[in-house]
Amino acid sequence: MREILIVGGGYAGFYTAWGLEKELRRGEARVTVVDPRPYMTYQPFLPEVVAGSVEARHAAVSLRRHLHRTRLIAGAVTEIRNAAHTVTIRPQSGPEFDLHYDTLVVTAGAVTRSFPIPGLREQAYGLKHVEEAVAIRDRLLTSFDRAATLPDGPERCRLLTVTVVGGGFSGVEGFGELLGLASALLKHYPEIKADELAFHLVEARGRILPEVTDRPGEWVVRSLEKRGARVHLNTQLLSAENGRVVLSDGTEYDSGLLVWTAGNASNPIVHNHTDLPVDEHGLLKVRADLRVGTETEVVPDVWAAGDDASVPDLAVGRPDARTVPNAQHAVRQGKRLAKNILASLRGRPTKNYEHHSLGVVATLGLGRGIFQYRRLVIKGFPAWLMHRGYHVLAVPSWERKARVFAVWATAALFGRDIVSLASVQHPRDAFVSSGEPRRQESR
C-alpha cells in the first residue's frame, strides 16, 4: 500500500488528510499525519479566546475525532531526506525513529519570528497556539485581581499596563480583544478606574494591518486611540528586561503583560533540515499545482502548501506574486492538494491552485470590526457580525460550529466569563502546599 506522509496537522495538513480520507479507495493508500499537537488550531478564534468570547477547546479541532482512517503520530519531524524517501521523527515519548514514505506532503506551518531583544523570551507570550491565548487571558484577569488590592503606585500601574508588539492581523485583533475585555472588567472592579489602564500597540512600520489599504488602516488606529490605547508606529521594541519596556521612540515603562506577534518565520525543519529546494526566504519552492519544484524541474511525489510554501498567486496576474500566509489560502490549498494527489495517484492531470480573495475582515473587540473587499469598506458593528458569521461557517465540522455558536449565544445573555484559571498552569501547587494528609487513628 502506498504511504502518503503529511508533515504537520494545521490548516493545510488537516484539510489534505480530510479530503484524502473521503476519496481514497480501500487499499489504495495509507495516510499518516505527524504533528506534536493532537489538534488543529483554528487561529482566527485565538483573539476571541483571549477575550473569553470563545472557549479554548472550541478553537481546537481534534485530529482523532475527524480523521478516522488516518494514522496519527504525536511527534515532530526533525529531518527530511527526500533522496531516501525518509523522515526522522522525534515522538513525544521514546527514541527517534525513521519513517519511509512514497508521497510526501509538507504542511509544517510557520513559527513565531523573534529577535535577540533583551528580555523578550523571558517576558513575552506568543499568540499562535491555544495555550498561549489562554495564558494571556488568565494573566490579564489575575493582574486585575492583584491590582484591585494594591494602593496607587508603580506595581499597580505595571499590572494594568499591556503591550502588544506587531501590527498585523494577529496583533491588532488580539490587542482589540484585550482592550475590550479590560474595559468590560471595569464594572466588576470598582477599585480600578478607566484612566488607570495603559494599552500600547507597537509596530515597526508606518501603518498597521498591511492587508487593508491606507485609509481603513488609519481608521483602525483612530478607533483604538479613541478607546484609550496608544499606537506606536515606526517604533521597535529595544528591551523588555524584567518587564521594563524600552521603545525606539523614547518611550519607557513597566508592563505587566507583553504579547509578541511580530510576524512568522519558516519552520526550522524546512529551512535547515531538508534536501528539498527552498528560496531565499527559507520557503519551499512550489509550482502552481502545489508540487515542490520549479516550472522547469519538479520533485517527484513531493507536495507542499501553507505558511512554509512559496505558492504562485495566479489570481494576481504577476509572475513573481506569491500567496500570503493566511487561513483563507491554507484551507483552500489543503483541499486542492487532496484532489491533486488523488489525480496523480490515478494518472489524471492535476489542476493549478487559484483563489481570488474574498476580502479581509478583522475583529477589534466585542461589537467592533473592519471589513474590506477591494474598494468596499465596512466598519464597526456590521463588520464584526461579518467576522463572526464568516468564521463560524469556516471552522471545520458542524460539531465545532454548534459549540462556538452556543458560547456566543450564552455570552450575549449573561456576558463573558471572567474567572481566571492561571493556577491550572501549576495544578499540583495546592496539593503540595497542603502537606501530607493526617493518618487516621486506628480504633
Side-chain angles (χ1 to χ4, degrees):
M1 189 182 298
R2 192 171 185 85
E3 181 74 43
I4 301 174
L5 176 62
I6 301 176
V7 180
Y11 291 118
F14 173 81
Y15 276 97
T16 300
W18 211 15
L20 288 171
E21 273 200 1
K22 295 174 182 178
E23 299 296 334
L24 279 172
R25 305 185 187 107
R26 187 174 298 277
E28 187 174 16
R30 180 173 68 172
V31 180
T32 299
V33 173
V34 182
D35 196 284
R37 290 178 169 81
Y39 55 82
M40 183 206 82
T41 302
Y42 191 72
Q43 292 182 351
F45 278 157
L46 293 186
E48 295 208 52
V49 172
V50 167
S53 299
V54 170
E55 287 296 325
R57 286 183 174 84
H58 299 169
V61 180
S62 170
L63 299 181
R64 292 191 178 275
R65 185 183 183 106
H66 299 287
L67 300 179
H68 305 293
R69 295 166 51 198
T70 298
R71 178 172 61 159
L72 300 172
I73 298 177
V77 172
T78 59
E79 186 179 7
I80 297 173
R81 300 183 300 281
N82 188 58
H85 276 217
T86 303
V87 300
T88 299
I89 298 174
R90 181 188 298 137
Q92 292 184 347
S93 299
E96 291 187 350
F97 62 92
D98 290 343
L99 183 65
H100 181 82
Y101 60 83
D102 298 296
T103 299
L104 177 66
V105 181
V106 182
T107 55
V111 297
T112 301
R113 179 183 62 184
S114 61
F115 299 96
I117 299 171
L120 178 63
R121 290 192 176 276
E122 294 77 14
Q123 300 293 329
Y125 294 88
L127 187 51
K128 200 170 185 62
H129 302 290
V130 172
E131 303 93 327
E132 294 171 320
V134 173
I136 291 168
R137 168 180 164 77
D138 286 341
R139 181 66 174 265
L140 181 67
L141 293 172
T142 302
S143 293
F144 265 71
D145 285 331
R146 293 175 179 174
T149 63
L150 292 174
D152 292 340
E155 179 61 13
R156 181 181 172 107
C157 182
R158 182 188 70 82
L159 289 170
L160 298 176
T161 301
V162 174
T163 305
V164 175
V165 182
F169 263 90
S170 293
V172 172
E173 289 190 316
F175 185 79
E177 291 288 356
L178 274 172
L179 181 57
L181 174 61
S183 300
L185 287 175
L186 290 174
K187 66 180 180 181
H188 302 288
Y189 291 84
E191 306 91 341
I192 299 174
K193 306 303 179 186
D195 57 7
E196 294 184 84
L197 301 179
F199 274 71
H200 299 262
L201 177 62
V202 181
E203 169 53 45
R205 292 167 294 188
R207 51 164 300 176
I208 62 174
L209 294 178
E211 293 86 353
V212 304
T213 53
D214 289 343
R215 293 184 66 182
E218 292 168 357
W219 177 84
V220 172
V221 172
R222 293 195 302 271
S223 174
L224 293 173
E225 290 177 338
K226 286 181 181 178
R227 295 163 62 188
R230 183 173 176 184
V231 180
H232 304 260
L233 299 178
N234 296 309
T235 304
Q236 296 178 341
L237 176 68
L238 300 181
S239 176
E241 285 190 291
N242 301 316
R244 184 71 177 176
V245 171
V246 180
L247 304 179
S248 61
D249 64 0
T251 307
E252 190 171 340
Y253 57 89
D254 291 323
S255 183
L257 175 58
L258 174 62
V259 182
W260 178 270
T261 65
N264 296 325
S266 62
N267 196 296
I269 180 62
V270 171
H271 192 267
N272 300 320
H273 304 289
T274 178
D275 55 356
L276 297 171
V278 297
D279 64 12
E280 64 276 12
H281 303 294
L283 303 176
L284 288 171
K285 294 181 179 179
V286 177
R287 294 155 51 101
D289 64 354
L290 304 178
R291 295 178 189 264
V292 172
T294 63
E295 291 301 320
T296 58
E297 186 175 357
V298 63
V299 180
D301 298 316
V302 182
W303 310 75
D307 292 352
D308 284 322
S310 179
V311 180
D313 193 345
L314 301 183
V316 174
R318 297 195 318 268
D320 62 335
R322 294 294 183 268
T323 59
V324 296
N326 61 22
Q328 194 174 135
H329 280 298
V331 169
R332 288 164 177 79
Q333 287 171 7
K335 294 178 179 180
R336 171 47 54 194
L337 255 179
K339 294 177 181 178
N340 279 355
I341 292 171
L342 285 166
S344 178
L345 287 175
R346 297 167 183 173
R348 299 200 302 262
T350 60
K351 294 184 179 180
N352 290 339
Y353 171 76
E354 182 174 356
H355 171 64
H356 294 269
S357 174
L358 301 175
V360 292
V361 62
T363 175
L364 305 174
L366 192 63
R368 300 178 175 91
I370 185 166
F371 167 83
Q372 181 173 14
Y373 176 71
R374 297 180 180 177
R375 293 186 178 183
L376 174 65
V377 177
I378 300 175
K379 306 170 185 175
F381 186 74
W384 175 78
L385 282 179
M386 294 173 68
H387 177 274
R388 285 206 158 182
Y390 172 79
H391 285 298
V392 79
L393 292 175
V395 67
S397 83
W398 286 103
E399 171 258 342
R400 275 296 178 266
K401 300 179 199 295
R403 290 181 186 274
V404 170
F405 187 80
V407 172
W408 283 343
T410 304
L413 291 173
F414 305 108
R416 289 179 285 200
D417 199 320
I418 62 170
V419 175
S420 169
L421 294 178
S423 59
V424 78
Q425 299 173 39
H426 307 281
R428 296 185 65 252
D429 285 358
F431 173 74
V432 173
S433 63
S434 66
E436 295 184 1
R438 295 179 181 178
R439 294 181 180 178
Q440 292 183 351
E441 295 181 1
S442 58
R443 294 182 180 178

